[in-house]
Amino acid sequence: MTAQDKAIQPAEIQAGHTPLAFDGPLGPLSPGLAIVGAGFSGTLLALHLLQRVPPQTRVVLIERNAQFGRGPAYSTGNSSHVLNVPAGKMSAFHSRPLDFLQWLQGLPPEELSGVEATATTFVPRRMFGRYIRHLLNQEVKARNHGDQFELIRGDVTDIAPNGGGLSLTLDRNRSVEVDRAVLAIGNFPPAPPPVADMSFYDSPSYRPDPWAADTLDDLDPDLPVLLIGTGLTTIDTVISLLDQGHRGPITALSRRGLVPHRHASSLPPPDMPESDSFPTRVNELARALRDGSRRCRELGGNWHTVIDELRPITTELWQAMCTRDRARFLRHMRPWWDVHRHRVAGPVADRIDAARASGQLQIRAGRIREYRQRPDGLIGIDYRPRFGDGLDSITAGRVVNCAGPDADYSRIRDPLVRSLLAKGLVRPDPLCLGLDVTANCATLGKDGSISRRLFAVGPVTKGTFWEMTAVPDIRQQAEFLAGGLASLTKPVRGPDAPPSPGAARGR
């Protein structure tokens, strides 16, 4: 490996320029930990690992895309795409709860672009992406005279056991040898709704990835647009359309037509007694939430207090449910849970409400049945309305799939995922929410065996942890996993170090 191959330029990481990491030939690496994926989950895990592992332990962060530390959610350049959690609750560290806010407040006014840096502000998501890259840049600069922390730009296509460790195969005939690896592979684009003729999904009128840079490129501002889905991704896409001056009608279609609610005002919650317990059967839980919301309203509050009370124990509730109740929750309650739990900032909700009031944005409920190419070049979309017997039709010039990430790993075509499944090193979780992992984030093999080498972090673990999309949840998981991995990591002895007492006794 040449010095040029290995050079890392911290200032360019912070500024968002390239190169971020070396991408040339890789030499043999000493044993250590590799993290596959340098979006938010993977980068945060790396930051916490470096605080916990012995200084001789190599930590390798691998990313296929040009930018480290952001991922799709925080790489958006649109300042109208704001966080769904106020700045005061977005720290990367539990022990420093105001770290993000203090970083914001330390920026020059011209870099804030008019954003008010307070604990209750919903700041642009790109600012949080800058914050994570700032933390990454600090670690690179702190360790740039050694080999402990390494950034590699590349696409991991295979992971295989190799003599008590793992061998990671990368593009361009490269490989990395490590003791353990963590899958931080984030979210995959949404799956297309099944229809009789799937050929439409190969046409230029269909955009499968709402976060792709060209999703809204070359779009006639008067063209009608159909957005599949009505969740948070749809909200972002509508805002992007409005920001680029789109004048044509926008239709958002999902099975139930539910739209995320807005965050409550800053009024204090009502003085309610703390709940003694929460049921783990779906019907009883739904009843408890309804009763609690009613009591809140009677005391002058709203349902937000009841939902927020669940936040610290959501994972415990999920893990205490039997598989049957988890499946019932996903089938019947999940859409309502999502729109109440994952809310949008007031200014964003105001723009969505205004677009609906003007008639430009319509929300519909139903299932797509057929796409028809019309003589005028537009697409006719037939759908069956919810609770309806016949078919209704929508006309669109572009269809964007905003239905949420595809989490059914049995059908995801990513080469690394397919290889791991084929080898039996991983398996989809029973409810098709991600990969099957233990409570310690270790992957489960096809035969149910618990890996001591391969782990996972972030959205890929939703089957076990459920709430694994918001920053506070991923931060807690990253800190927990970093501690667990550090406890499995043995310090590397130097060549002149005496043998350990255990080794002297032949153990």
Side-chain angles (χ1 to χ4, degrees):
M1 184 187 308
T2 67
Q4 183 177 7
D5 288 331
K6 198 172 178 181
I8 299 175
Q9 302 179 33
E12 294 183 346
I13 292 176
Q14 187 176 29
H17 300 152
T18 55
L20 297 179
F22 71 91
D23 55 6
L26 303 178
L29 303 181
S30 61
L33 298 159
I35 302 170
V36 182
F40 173 70
S41 302
T43 301
L44 194 60
L45 176 62
L47 296 174
H48 286 291
L49 269 174
L50 290 167
Q51 296 179 357
R52 291 167 171 80
V53 295
Q56 306 94 334
T57 304
R58 180 186 295 270
V59 176
V60 184
L61 186 58
I62 308 172
E63 173 58 39
R64 68 174 68 176
N65 297 313
Q67 293 193 9
F68 284 64
R70 291 190 177 183
Y74 305 111
S75 60
T76 173
N78 189 335
S79 59
S80 297
H81 293 164
V82 299
L83 296 169
N84 296 316
V85 177
K89 299 180 180 180
M90 288 291 288
S91 173
F93 307 98
H94 176 73
S95 60
R96 288 146 45 193
L98 298 180
D99 194 63
F100 175 55
L101 178 61
Q102 292 168 349
W103 176 83
L104 274 176
Q105 293 172 339
L107 292 177
E110 60 271 16
E111 293 188 25
L112 287 171
S113 303
V115 174
E116 187 180 6
T118 70
T120 58
T121 303
F122 295 88
V123 303
R125 289 206 297 267
R126 59 181 173 81
M127 300 299 294
F128 189 74
R130 279 190 58 191
Y131 162 69
I132 295 300
R133 288 168 66 84
H134 162 75
L135 297 174
L136 179 62
N137 183 56
Q138 284 187 317
E139 288 295 341
V140 171
K141 287 195 294 185
R143 304 167 194 274
N144 63 357
H145 296 298
D147 292 329
Q148 183 183 17
F149 188 33
E150 196 158 12
L151 308 184
I152 297 176
R153 185 187 298 113
D155 193 2
V156 178
T157 58
D158 190 24
I159 298 177
N162 183 20
L166 295 174
S167 178
L168 280 65
T169 300
L170 282 74
D171 53 358
R172 289 176 288 166
N173 297 315
R174 299 177 295 167
S175 64
V176 175
E177 310 295 328
V178 292
D179 287 325
R180 292 175 174 84
V182 182
L183 301 173
I185 48 183
N187 293 312
F188 291 92
V195 292
D197 182 2
M198 301 285 282
S199 63
F200 168 74
Y201 296 125
D202 296 322
S203 75
S205 298
Y206 174 71
R207 301 302 167 95
D209 185 354
W211 295 111
D214 64 347
T215 294
L216 302 179
D217 283 358
D218 304 319
L219 180 62
D220 184 333
D222 295 309
L223 207 64
V225 174
L226 171 65
L227 307 179
I228 302 173
T230 57
L232 290 174
T233 302
T234 293
I235 298 296
D236 282 340
T237 307
V238 171
I239 295 298
S240 293
L241 286 165
L242 297 177
D243 281 351
Q244 69 181 40
H246 193 79
R247 299 183 295 266
I250 305 168
T251 303
L253 173 70
S254 67
R255 288 177 57 188
R256 293 174 177 84
L258 299 175
V259 178
H261 291 279
R262 67 171 64 220
H263 278 283
S265 65
S266 58
L267 294 175
D271 186 16
M272 286 185 61
E274 183 180 3
S275 300
D276 294 328
S277 64
F278 282 105
T280 58
R281 299 298 301 269
V282 169
N283 289 348
E284 296 170 3
L285 179 60
R287 188 179 304 113
L289 293 176
R290 287 195 298 268
D291 292 345
S293 298
R294 187 186 65 253
R295 290 196 304 272
C296 252
R297 290 194 299 270
E298 291 171 351
L299 293 172
N302 55 39
W303 53 263
H304 297 75
T305 302
V306 178
I307 297 296
D308 293 343
E309 188 184 11
L310 280 180
R311 170 131 195 187
I313 62 167
T314 302
T315 294
E316 291 179 81
L317 277 173
W318 177 257
Q319 292 177 343
M321 286 184 181
C322 65
T323 301
R324 180 181 176 184
D325 270 296
R326 292 186 194 182
R328 292 183 65 203
F329 173 86
L330 294 175
R331 188 179 308 114
H332 301 295
M333 284 186 63
R334 178 179 184 176
W336 281 270
W337 170 260
D338 285 345
V339 299
H340 287 83
R341 167 67 179 83
H342 302 288
R343 306 188 286 269
V344 298
V348 174
D350 289 341
R351 297 186 67 186
I352 296 299
D353 290 345
R356 296 182 70 177
S358 71
Q360 183 181 14
L361 173 62
Q362 293 189 34
I363 306 295
R364 301 194 186 185
R367 293 174 181 264
I368 295 176
R369 288 291 180 246
E370 183 182 10
Y371 299 95
R372 295 176 286 102
Q373 185 71 52
R374 296 178 11 154
D376 59 3
L378 297 177
I379 307 299
I381 302 101
D382 294 332
Y383 73 98
R384 185 177 300 280
R386 183 171 173 81
F387 305 124
D389 295 328
L391 294 178
D392 281 353
S393 183
I394 302 168
T395 300
R398 183 165 299 182
V399 178
V400 183
N401 195 340
C402 304
D406 187 359
D408 185 354
Y409 276 64
S410 65
R411 64 186 184 189
I412 287 172
R413 307 314 304 171
D414 178 78
L416 175 59
V417 171
R418 300 317 306 169
S419 175
L420 292 173
L421 288 172
K423 286 184 170 71
L425 296 180
V426 299
R427 68 183 185 188
D429 76 85
L431 298 174
C432 298
L433 294 173
L435 292 178
D436 210 2
V437 302
T438 69
N440 290 326
C441 301
T443 59
L444 293 170
K446 183 179 180 179
D447 59 357
S449 58
I450 300 173
S451 177
R452 297 289 285 170
R453 301 289 176 185
L454 189 61
F455 297 79
V457 69
V460 69
T461 67
K462 283 185 68 174
T464 298
F465 297 95
W466 177 236
E467 285 288 285
M468 204 48 64
T469 54
V471 167
D473 303 310
I474 296 176
R475 177 191 68 200
Q476 183 178 8
Q477 187 188 51
E479 291 181 332
F480 171 78
L481 178 56
L485 291 172
S487 69
L488 297 174
T489 303
K490 299 177 181 178
V492 179
R493 290 189 297 110
D496 299 324
S500 66
R505 292 192 294 270
R507 294 181 183 174

